[in-house]
């Protein structure tokens, strides 16, 4: 399938007036067509059924490169599949997109495809660990989102318990970073974990919760039945207030200048 044909098929699903709303909601500077997610699902499902793996990888690469919002979503959906034999090319392409992540919707769809490849070959966590240290926030966030399957497992085997502990270590290392999206990813992981291992979720929050931003701490504990006593929370709240005051002062200086 040519990229021109794929793009033409996406444009046939445009809903008038939707593009402006989507661009505003997703804070997009790239072109937005106005195609609903349900339509992209149907279109990419048909592509997955009609194209070989090699063709899908090639098309996903082209869709990503044209840098249209729905095209990048479609590229990710095209590669989201549980069972793929000889999936090295898929994993390589997905990893190549990491530096381009700049939007939660696009990143999350790509991470869903990554989740399938990681559960298929957990040894790839060694590669994911390299995502946890770059200055690019979206790459660090992707390490947690792509590894969400390990937050949702029940009756873990020893090797999966070790993997979960490893990922929790990454989450803990993110706590001092005040970026909203990174804090949200920590909360997301711990919240999902609480549905399957409340004790582990609680232990993480007791140890690290006071250092999280208040909204993230609240979100992470959403499904825990008993309230948590956070050590040093008063100090953390005072530090947070001081940090917010300094941020407001800096913004005021920038506005005055």
């Amino acid at each position: 399938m040519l990229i021109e044909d794929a793009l033409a098929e996406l444009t046939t699903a445009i809903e008038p007036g939707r593009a402006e709303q989507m661009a505003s909601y997703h804070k997009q500077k790239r072109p937005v067509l106005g195609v609903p997610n349900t339509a992209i699902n149907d279109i990419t499902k048909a592509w997955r059924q009609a194209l070989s793996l090699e063709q899908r990888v090639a098309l996903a690469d082209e869709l990503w490169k044209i840098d249209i919002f729905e095209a990048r979503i479609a590229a990710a959906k095209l590669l989201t599949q549980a069972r793929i034999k000889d999936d090295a090319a898929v994993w390589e392409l997905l990893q190549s997109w990491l530096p381009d992540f700049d939007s939660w919707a696009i990143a999350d769809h790509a991470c869903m495809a990554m989740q399938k490849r990681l559960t298929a070959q957990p040894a790839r966590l060694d590669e994911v660990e390299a995502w946890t240290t770059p200055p690019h926030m979206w790459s660090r966030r992707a390490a947690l989102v792509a590894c969400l399957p390990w937050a949702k497992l029940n009756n873990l085997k020893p090797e999966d318990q070790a993997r979960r502990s490893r990922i929790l270590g990454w989450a803990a290392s993110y706590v001092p970073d005040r970026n909203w999206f990174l804090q949200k990813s920590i909360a997301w992981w711990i919240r999902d974990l609480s549905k399957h291992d409340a004790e582990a979720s609680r232990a993480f929050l007791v140890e690290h919760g006071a250092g999280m931003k208040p909204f993230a701490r609240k979100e992470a504990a959403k499904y825990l039945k008993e309230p948590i006593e956070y050590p040093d929370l008063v100090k953390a709240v005072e530090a947070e207030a001081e940090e917010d005051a300094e941020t407001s002062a800096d913004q005021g200086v920038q506005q005055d200048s």
Side-chain angles (χ1 to χ4, degrees):
M1 174 179 284
L2 297 176
I3 183 61
E4 294 82 2
D5 295 332
L7 189 56
E9 193 167 349
L10 285 171
T11 58
T12 61
I14 290 174
E15 290 187 359
R18 189 180 183 93
E20 294 79 6
Q21 178 186 2
M22 289 175 60
S24 175
Y25 178 72
H26 293 288
K27 296 179 173 59
Q28 292 297 296
K29 295 181 180 179
R30 60 176 52 85
V32 178
L33 301 176
V35 181
N37 194 52
T38 52
I40 301 176
N41 283 339
D42 292 340
I43 291 169
T44 53
K45 180 179 179 180
W47 290 347
R48 286 198 304 270
Q49 293 173 343
L51 302 176
S52 68
L53 178 60
E54 183 179 2
Q55 290 171 327
R56 283 190 283 142
V57 170
L59 179 57
D61 186 28
E62 291 298 320
L63 285 165
W64 190 269
K65 286 177 178 176
I66 62 174
D67 198 18
I68 294 172
F69 180 75
E70 290 90 340
R72 287 198 164 182
I73 298 292
K77 289 180 179 292
L78 192 56
L79 300 181
T80 304
Q81 181 178 334
R83 296 182 180 180
I84 301 178
K85 187 177 180 180
D86 300 327
D87 66 349
V90 176
W91 177 240
E92 182 179 354
L93 181 58
L94 290 171
Q95 286 198 88
S96 75
W97 294 345
L98 278 169
D100 297 331
F101 287 0
D102 59 6
S103 161
W104 64 265
I106 292 173
D108 286 359
H109 279 92
C111 284
M112 289 177 67
M114 292 171 172
Q115 289 174 16
K116 304 297 184 183
R117 308 282 47 85
L118 287 169
T119 52
Q121 293 197 37
R124 286 172 172 154
L125 289 179
D126 290 344
E127 297 173 75
V128 175
E129 186 159 17
W131 307 356
T132 65
T133 54
H136 185 232
M137 179 277 294
W138 292 100
S139 293
R140 287 183 285 145
R141 178 182 179 274
L144 290 189
V145 180
C147 291
L148 273 169
W150 279 279
K152 302 175 182 180
L153 293 175
N154 296 310
N155 304 316
L156 275 71
K157 297 178 180 178
E159 56 268 29
D160 281 319
Q161 183 63 62
R163 290 163 188 147
R164 176 180 285 177
S165 297
R166 183 182 189 182
I167 299 162
L168 284 170
W170 303 343
S173 73
Y174 292 174
V175 168
D177 194 305
R178 313 319 285 165
N179 180 276
W180 189 93
F181 284 103
L182 208 56
Q183 289 280 318
K184 180 71 174 179
S185 71
I186 302 169
W188 187 359
W189 221 93
I190 303 305
R191 182 197 66 195
D192 281 8
L193 175 63
S194 70
K195 301 176 186 178
H196 304 272
D197 190 342
E199 183 177 347
S201 182
R202 180 178 294 277
F204 182 93
L205 288 171
V206 167
E207 183 173 359
H208 304 288
M212 296 167 63
K213 291 184 77 70
F215 87 88
R217 187 166 55 240
K218 181 179 179 181
E219 178 69 14
K222 183 177 181 179
Y223 298 117
L224 293 175
K225 295 180 180 179
E226 299 296 330
I228 297 175
E229 296 292 334
Y230 293 101
D232 300 323
L233 182 57
V234 173
K235 294 180 181 178
V237 171
E238 290 175 350
E240 188 81 28
E242 182 178 344
E243 177 186 315
D244 291 343
E246 291 176 354
T247 300
S248 297
D250 290 343
Q251 291 174 343
V253 170
Q254 292 171 2
Q255 290 171 358
D256 291 341
S257 61

